């Protein structure tokens, strides 16, 4: 395979992620083909001035084929795409779950990669309204990307890094990990823990307003500000938590957090949560 990747096909170009990454590719120097089966989603693609292509025509000539489709259909979609790919091409997925569960169709001579956006950091210095408005990333705010590419040369990885930096741009850095490590990052670290905690804090906010009668705006002001300071103290040690706060935090752990919560980092638990996400009975090894 050439160390220069020039031709890209986006499968699922009219979906949520397909539209996001296609907008960035459309401004790039890559030759990009957009594939979408849903009539409604096709309208979204063409409305942005992107010409639709037939997968059977463009997949065989593409250096990189990106599957921007939901996790639960990745296996089925890959079964139709992989046989059409040229030798040395890269199949790139956006989430690690299906790759970790060995649901992606494999073929000798095809390289495999996963790349997932980290999203703009809560600690990111933002200077414009566009940067402040871009919570997801891929528009104005700088983000990092975690990616897996366990085969191929360093030169090929560097070429793929450029593709990834365009699709999720602006990107500060691409962090290379294994598929299993990427699965520990998402879902375990960021969905099982961080997203759950975020939703839990919203529930706590609603419960505070319901039970205490505190005006909602006052409760939001108190919580939003304390989320920021809590993260700054916990992650950057800007100032220590007060003695009284430490006592309240310990009480919270006793009441809310299970003593054995760290078992979520056991691989058998990772298998369980990914199987649930993919709606399959179990991960097969």
């Amino acid at each position: 395979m050439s160390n220069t990747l020039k031709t890209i096909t986006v499968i699922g170009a009219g979906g949520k992620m397909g539209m996001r990454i296609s907008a960035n590719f459309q401004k790039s120097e890559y030759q990009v083909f957009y594939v979408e089966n849903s009539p409604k989603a096709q309208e979204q693609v063409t409305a942005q001035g992107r010409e639709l292509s037939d997968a059977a025509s463009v997949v065989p000539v593409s250096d990189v084929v990106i599957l921007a489709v939901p996790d639960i259909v990745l296996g089925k979609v890959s079964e139709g795409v992989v046989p059409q790919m040229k030798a040395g091409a890269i199949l790139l997925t956006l989430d690690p779950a299906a790759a970790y569960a060995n649901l992606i169709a494999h073929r000798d001579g095809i390289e495999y990669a996963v790349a997932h956006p980290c999203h703009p950091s809560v600690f990111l210095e933002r200077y414009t309204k566009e940067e402040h408005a871009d919570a997801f990333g891929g528009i104005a705010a700088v983000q990092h990307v975690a990616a897996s590419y366990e085969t191929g040369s360093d030169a090929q990885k560097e070429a793929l890094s450029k593709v990834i930096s365009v699709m999720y741009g602006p990107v500060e850095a691409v962090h290379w990990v294994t598929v299993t490590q990427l699965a520990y990052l998402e879902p375990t670290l960021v969905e099982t823990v961080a997203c759950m905690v975020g939703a839990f804090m919203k529930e706590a906010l609603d419960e505070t307003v319901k039970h205490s009668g505190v005006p909602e705006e006052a409760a939001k002001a108190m919580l939003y500000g304390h989320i920021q300071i809590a993260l700054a103290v916990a992650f950057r040690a800007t100032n220590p938590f007060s003695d009284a706060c430490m006592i309240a935090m310990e009480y919270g752990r006793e009441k809310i957090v299970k003593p054995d919560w760290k078992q979520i980092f056991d691989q058998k638990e990772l298998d369980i949560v990914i199987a649930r996400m993919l709606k399959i009975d179990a991960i097969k090894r």
Side-chain angles (χ1 to χ4, degrees):
M1 182 183 74
S2 169
N3 293 334
T4 300
L5 306 175
K6 298 180 179 179
T7 308
I8 298 167
T9 288
V10 180
I11 306 289
K16 182 186 294 184
M17 285 303 300
M19 290 293 286
R20 285 180 178 276
I21 65 176
S22 293
N24 283 336
F25 279 133
Q26 190 174 13
K27 297 177 289 185
S28 75
E29 295 182 356
Y30 291 106
Q31 181 179 19
V32 186
F33 301 111
Y34 307 99
V35 177
E36 177 57 59
N37 290 332
S38 166
K40 184 175 181 180
Q42 286 177 342
E43 293 177 4
Q44 296 184 132
V45 175
T46 56
Q48 296 301 316
R50 299 169 200 144
E51 183 179 347
L52 288 164
S53 297
D54 176 61
S57 298
V58 298
V59 168
V61 299
S62 297
D63 298 317
V64 182
V65 178
I66 301 172
L67 300 187
V69 299
D71 281 349
I72 59 174
V73 299
L74 269 173
K76 182 178 180 180
V77 173
S78 69
E79 288 175 0
V81 170
V82 169
Q84 302 179 57
M85 294 174 65
K86 67 180 181 180
I90 299 173
L91 184 74
L92 177 61
T93 58
L94 310 185
D95 290 283
Y100 175 84
N102 296 311
L103 297 181
I104 305 297
H106 275 258
R107 190 187 111 206
D108 289 342
I110 300 298
E111 309 291 350
Y112 294 85
V114 185
H116 193 80
C118 295
H119 306 299
S121 168
V122 66
F123 297 118
L124 176 68
E125 294 184 7
R126 303 170 192 252
Y127 303 98
T128 67
K129 289 183 178 180
E130 291 77 14
E131 289 173 348
H132 279 283
D134 186 17
F136 191 91
I139 300 175
V142 175
Q143 65 179 331
H144 290 228
V145 178
S148 172
Y149 183 59
E150 298 183 53
T151 59
S153 68
D154 289 340
Q156 291 167 349
K157 182 182 288 186
E158 182 180 352
L160 180 59
S161 181
K162 292 177 181 178
V163 173
I164 292 169
S165 294
V166 168
M167 66 189 280
Y168 289 134
V171 169
E172 182 171 334
V174 177
H175 303 279
W176 296 102
V177 297
T178 67
V179 168
T180 298
Q181 289 171 335
L182 188 53
Y184 274 116
L185 293 175
E186 178 162 320
T188 301
L189 177 62
V190 298
E191 292 177 332
T192 302
V193 179
C195 293
M196 180 277 296
V197 170
F200 181 77
M201 286 192 291
K202 175 59 168 63
E203 290 183 38
L205 173 69
D206 294 341
E207 203 66 18
T208 298
V209 173
K210 175 181 177 181
H211 280 275
S212 70
V214 172
E216 183 175 354
E217 291 307 310
K220 286 181 177 179
M222 182 67 77
L223 180 60
Y224 293 174
H226 278 75
I227 288 174
Q228 176 171 273
I229 194 62
L231 293 175
V233 173
F235 287 93
R236 295 199 161 181
T238 53
N239 286 293
F241 290 114
S242 70
D243 292 343
C245 179
M246 294 289 286
I247 293 171
M249 288 167 60
E250 187 58 33
Y251 175 78
R253 277 184 171 272
E254 293 173 2
K255 289 292 185 178
I256 300 169
V257 181
K258 292 183 178 181
D260 63 348
W261 74 272
K262 292 182 182 179
Q263 67 177 300
I264 64 172
F265 292 100
D266 294 341
Q267 190 162 9
K268 64 179 182 180
E269 297 296 330
L270 179 60
D271 288 356
I272 290 172
V273 68
I274 287 183
R276 289 184 182 180
M277 293 170 66
L278 296 174
K279 299 181 180 180
I280 58 178
D281 293 334
I283 302 296
K284 296 180 180 179
R285 297 291 174 200

